[in-house]
Amino acid sequence: MITLTTNVQAGITGFENPTIRFRKQPLNLQTLFVHSHTSMRIISADNSYPKFGIAKGDWLLIDSALQALATDLVLFEYYGESHIARWNVLCQHVVASGKEWDELHLIGVITVSIHHFRQPSLLPWHSDLTDIDLHQLIVTQEHSTLLCRAAGVSMLPYIWDRDILILERHLTPENDDVIVLSLNNDLVVKRINLHTKTLYSDNSSFKPYPITQDDYTRLHGVVRYSLRLHRPMPL
């Protein structure tokens, strides 16, 4: 898998010649995001949390050994049900409500969330990340998969500014897929309506863009996953 150093604009405005300035580097998602195989695992989100950009069924990379910082997202159980909250907000809520800490079970800190734009493969059972490989789970075609960054807010709530997109160049777009394409002088990420040849955003504040015969377009691939780093790390 390779990475693009340019950003993919979530809006229609961008920069000139976006496909020229890029550099290829081999990447491995397991090496990049898994720093402790024995204390980390992947859990599917039981509910949606749009304010965190997490949908029901998204994969959450959890580290049970990390000391939670104030603004960390944490996964915890309360009377058998799992929930997600910011650590400082959870602490304030426990103190204000008079709840006992032993009623809560902290599962771990969420370091990365992985959103699916197509039906994902079945998440294998595992006790930790010595049992499965994150890279092999996500990347199926090594030499035609790109990793790039989004820019802008037009694809909220599940693609945020600076999220990482897993772009698969071998896939043929299906109706309503999220795609990356060159549009005139811009590189954009949008959903595509194949019937009406219209690009549209998940953020309803942005108007659809009907493609005409005067537009220059070039497809670069289908976005199957987006990754959000909830614990910042250098890339």
Side-chain angles (χ1 to χ4, degrees):
M1 188 176 70
I2 60 176
T3 180
L4 291 176
T5 57
T6 53
N7 289 340
V8 178
Q9 297 292 323
I12 294 298
T13 59
F15 44 81
E16 294 182 359
N17 300 322
T19 61
I20 293 177
R21 297 176 297 161
F22 69 91
R23 175 168 55 95
K24 295 182 179 180
Q25 295 178 330
L27 286 179
N28 184 287
L29 298 179
Q30 182 89 349
T31 303
L32 202 59
F33 299 124
V34 178
H35 55 267
S36 174
H37 292 76
T38 56
S39 66
M40 299 184 76
R41 56 181 167 144
I42 303 170
I43 297 177
S44 293
D46 287 341
N47 296 291
S48 293
Y49 299 85
K51 65 180 179 180
F52 301 136
I54 295 173
K56 184 177 181 179
D58 282 0
W59 292 343
L60 309 174
L61 191 57
I62 307 291
D63 193 334
S64 60
L66 277 181
Q67 178 68 41
L69 303 177
T71 58
D72 274 339
L73 275 187
V74 296
L75 181 69
F76 65 97
E77 282 187 355
Y78 181 65
Y79 287 112
E81 294 187 356
S82 62
H83 304 274
I84 294 172
R86 295 229 177 262
W87 177 242
N88 56 353
V89 174
L90 177 61
C91 292
Q92 292 167 7
H93 177 71
V94 170
V95 172
S97 64
K99 289 185 173 67
E100 297 293 334
W101 278 105
D102 56 11
E103 297 174 350
L104 298 173
H105 169 57
L106 182 63
I107 298 172
V109 173
I110 301 172
T111 59
V112 179
S113 60
I114 303 167
H115 182 71
H116 317 286
F117 290 101
R118 281 193 177 184
Q119 184 67 27
S121 58
L122 186 65
L123 183 62
W125 183 92
H126 60 287
S127 58
D128 55 42
L129 291 186
T130 60
D131 298 326
I132 61 172
D133 187 288
L134 177 66
H135 188 84
Q136 293 179 3
L137 196 62
I138 292 178
V139 179
T140 58
Q141 300 288 334
E142 190 76 31
H143 299 293
S144 58
T145 301
L146 303 178
L147 186 152
C148 51
R149 279 196 187 275
V153 297
S154 73
M155 292 299 287
L156 291 175
Y158 297 119
I159 295 180
W160 289 12
D161 186 50
R162 295 191 62 77
D163 276 359
I164 297 169
L165 308 179
I166 305 297
L167 182 66
E168 301 196 11
R169 303 187 71 177
H170 52 274
L171 292 179
T172 300
E174 299 175 358
N175 197 47
D176 296 327
D177 264 344
V178 176
I179 62 171
V180 171
L181 77 159
S182 294
L183 177 65
N184 302 321
N185 287 327
D186 299 316
L187 189 63
V188 301
V189 53
K190 294 291 177 189
R191 288 195 186 271
I192 178 74
N193 185 313
L194 296 175
H195 306 304
T196 61
K197 295 183 179 179
T198 301
L199 301 173
Y200 65 98
S201 304
D202 284 353
N203 185 342
S204 60
S205 299
F206 291 78
K207 295 180 179 180
Y209 186 91
I211 299 173
T212 71
Q213 60 182 5
D214 296 326
D215 288 313
Y216 166 78
T217 61
R218 180 183 176 187
L219 177 68
H220 295 290
V222 174
V223 178
R224 175 166 279 187
Y225 304 97
S226 65
L227 281 65
R228 178 160 314 112
L229 278 59
H230 297 282
R231 263 283 182 105
M233 62 185 71
L235 290 179

